[in-house]
Amino acid sequence: MRRPPFRSSPGLWRRGAPVALALAALTLTTVPATASPPAPGGHCARSAALRVPGAAYQRTACLDELTTAGTVASGHTDPADWAGLTPKDLAVPAGVPGIQIDGYFPDTSTTNTNHGWQHDSQFVLRLPDRWNGGLVVAGTPGNREQYANDRAIADWVLARGYAYAATDKGNTGTAFHRDGDAPGEAVAEWNDRVTQLTRAARATLAQRYHRPPARTLVTGLSNGGYLVRWQLENHPELYDGGVDWEGTLWRADGPTLLDFLPPALRAYPVYAAGGPGAEEARRQMHAAGFPAATEFLWPYHHAVYWDLTQRVYREELDPDYDGPTEAGTPYCATGTPGCDADYDYPTRPAEVHRAVRRIALTGRIGKPLTTLHGTLDALLPIGRDSDVYARMVREAGRGGLHRYYRIEGGTHADALVDAFPDRLRPLTPCHRSAFTALEDWLAKGHRPPPSGAVALPADRDPVTLANSCPLAGRKAAGDRP
């Protein structure tokens, strides 16, 4: 099986990894560490003594501001990591002093260049002085690095008093598929790295605050939402609940992005060219799952997302499809040998389906989960993703643990709202509403609003939509609580 050179540590990233991670989280090992010196008795007193269990390296800083209101200037975030994920009118909270720990766990792959470390499995922990007793853990969307959620998630939860932990998932960038020794291993590592960080973060909080977190929540968007689903299915003992923001769906029998992206790559160029075949091409796009009324988003997604996404994930799960070529040929014409536009997942060999099964979801969540997904998502169409996952949860007998909100006018990347303010709404405030609903569910026993559609207000204005999203709305046809 062709896999280019770098690898994650082969002894760690096998199915026995959770045992090793559990042991690492229980042992406070001595690791190389640096720290900015706090004032004696100040708000970061004893921060130099903190150790992240299992970390190969860590660096501790005492900060007057843990949100991006301060970390951009202090160099404790990377705006490139979170570019394009939030609307421009999203408020930036401030007034959260505390401790930030940056570091990495043992790994041999080197895709993450943050801090000049050239080391994967990087993490960030933020420990606010005014702690509410909770921990929020997040994995990154796409193939981004550990600061990708800083604007969309970290700023807000830190301002609410939560400690925050995020991981780069163990590999980053568009060549992430080179990691691992077999198809599917790079994505499987994502799940293990979130588990690893959760255990280590909980132990670190116990050092800092002299008690473990009273509540641990997991959340994320896109690939990060997939991680939320997987964690609550496979490690519910670590969490009290989670918020899944348009998580990627993986199922051995489909649908997955390997099912609906190839038809888009075939049909969209015909649609965009106009002429007698355009209307039939549009019908093919709709049949593949791309919602009617998303046509205005198709040019952007064809240029930015569809082709690259199909090629790199197909390479991760089915590297032999295109022979010696790595990750296919960009924008190849249908009929070209090994062209991803012609990819047909159902007919691929059994080992390909086994690779997908390795990372597949089941719907068997073990803790409360709220899911939100935009009805105008043109990357992961709602009818081929979260609609399916909600059905999986019900069929697994876990529907009582799930709430699912279909956000009318929402799309995959909130930055597109700035380009189409008259057609789209951001999902960031809807995520916050889902999060607070989960808090009330867990702390007070107040069940969230029933699953259903969250309407786009007729009298909307961009600033209000960027910061408000009441979940109570009409029940969508076919939805169940």
Side-chain angles (χ1 to χ4, degrees), residues 258-259 262 266 310 314 318 321 339-349 353:
L258 298 178
D259 293 296
R266 293 193 299 271
Q310 164 64 25
R314 192 270 309 149
D318 190 359
Y321 172 72
C339 181
D340 275 277
D342 295 322
Y343 189 75
D344 185 25
Y345 172 73
T347 65
R348 295 301 296 154
H353 293 251

Side-chain angles (χ1 to χ4, degrees), residues 415-427:
L416 287 171
V417 175
D418 299 329
F420 301 101
D422 57 334
R423 302 195 194 191
L424 298 173
R425 72 177 303 162
L427 292 180

Side-chain angles (χ1 to χ4, degrees), residues 389-413:
Y389 189 68
R391 185 170 67 247
M392 291 168 60
V393 173
R394 292 196 301 268
E395 291 174 349
R398 311 298 170 91
L401 293 173
H402 193 216
R403 287 293 184 271
Y404 173 36
Y405 303 107
R406 306 175 93 253
I407 313 299
E408 295 184 356
T411 193
H412 199 76

Side-chain angles (χ1 to χ4, degrees), residues 157-402:
V157 300
L158 286 164
R160 293 174 66 81
Y162 285 94
Y164 173 80
T167 170
D168 68 3
K169 310 193 301 283
N171 45 70
T172 67
T174 57
F176 78 96
H177 50 79
R178 294 178 180 173
D179 202 2
D181 295 316
E185 280 198 358
V187 174
E189 182 180 353
W190 300 353
N191 296 313
D192 291 335
R193 292 298 183 181
V194 174
T195 304
Q196 176 184 44
L197 179 64
T198 301
R199 290 177 168 140
R202 288 173 57 86
T204 305
L205 265 61
Q207 297 172 51
R208 172 68 179 94
Y209 301 112
H210 307 292
R211 59 188 173 96
R215 178 174 301 139
T216 302
L217 304 177
V218 59
T219 190
L221 66 107
S222 193
N223 281 341
Y226 158 74
L227 297 170
V228 173
R229 297 171 178 179
W230 193 95
Q231 292 295 317
L232 294 188
E233 291 179 3
N234 293 275
H235 287 290
E237 76 282 359
L238 294 178
Y239 307 97
D240 295 280
V243 182
D244 154 31
W245 177 350
E246 66 192 19
T248 310
L249 181 65
W250 290 109
R251 303 177 74 219
D253 297 329
T256 74
L257 58 85
L258 298 178
D259 293 296
F260 54 75
L261 289 182
L265 294 175
R266 293 193 299 271
Y268 176 75
V270 179
Y271 168 77
E279 189 57 34
E280 174 58 27
R282 178 161 62 176
R283 284 194 289 270
Q284 292 172 5
M285 293 287 294
H286 294 165
F290 295 91
T294 60
E295 286 86 348
F296 71 101
L297 295 168
W298 293 354
Y300 175 84
H301 284 76
H302 182 257
V304 175
Y305 282 125
W306 293 338
D307 179 78
L308 179 63
T309 302
Q310 164 64 25
R311 289 187 293 103
V312 298
Y313 286 94
R314 192 270 309 149
E315 183 71 17
E316 162 65 3
L317 295 160
D318 190 359
D320 289 340
Y321 172 72
D322 56 355
T325 305
E326 182 181 5
T329 302
Y331 298 100
C332 54
T334 182
T336 304
C339 181
D340 275 277
D342 295 322
Y343 189 75
D344 185 25
Y345 172 73
T347 65
R348 295 301 296 154
E351 59 264 28
V352 177
H353 293 251
R354 284 195 295 271
V356 177
R357 187 170 292 110
R358 175 175 189 166
I359 62 172
L361 297 166
T362 64
R364 294 191 293 271
I365 56 174
K367 289 292 173 65
L369 172 68
T370 56
T371 294
L372 62 144
H373 203 126
T375 59
L376 300 184
D377 194 321
L379 177 58
L380 301 178
I382 190 169
R384 298 294 187 267
D385 193 289
S386 292
D387 284 359
V388 179
Y389 189 68
R391 185 170 67 247
M392 291 168 60
V393 173
R394 292 196 301 268
E395 291 174 349
R398 311 298 170 91
L401 293 173
H402 193 216

Side-chain angles (χ1 to χ4, degrees), residues 110-183:
T110 59
T111 60
N112 190 340
T113 61
N114 271 333
H115 308 292
W117 290 340
Q118 310 294 325
H119 201 290
D120 287 345
S121 300
Q122 291 190 36
F123 61 82
V124 58
L125 298 181
R126 297 192 175 105
L127 314 178
D129 289 353
R130 294 181 291 276
W131 185 46
N132 70 2
L135 168 65
V136 173
V137 181
T140 59
N143 306 106
R144 299 180 185 231
E145 296 161 351
Q146 67 269 28
Y147 304 114
N149 293 308
D150 279 7
R151 284 288 290 116
I153 297 173
D155 279 356
W156 185 76
V157 300
L158 286 164
R160 293 174 66 81
Y162 285 94
Y164 173 80
T167 170
D168 68 3
K169 310 193 301 283
N171 45 70
T172 67
T174 57
F176 78 96
H177 50 79
R178 294 178 180 173
D179 202 2
D181 295 316

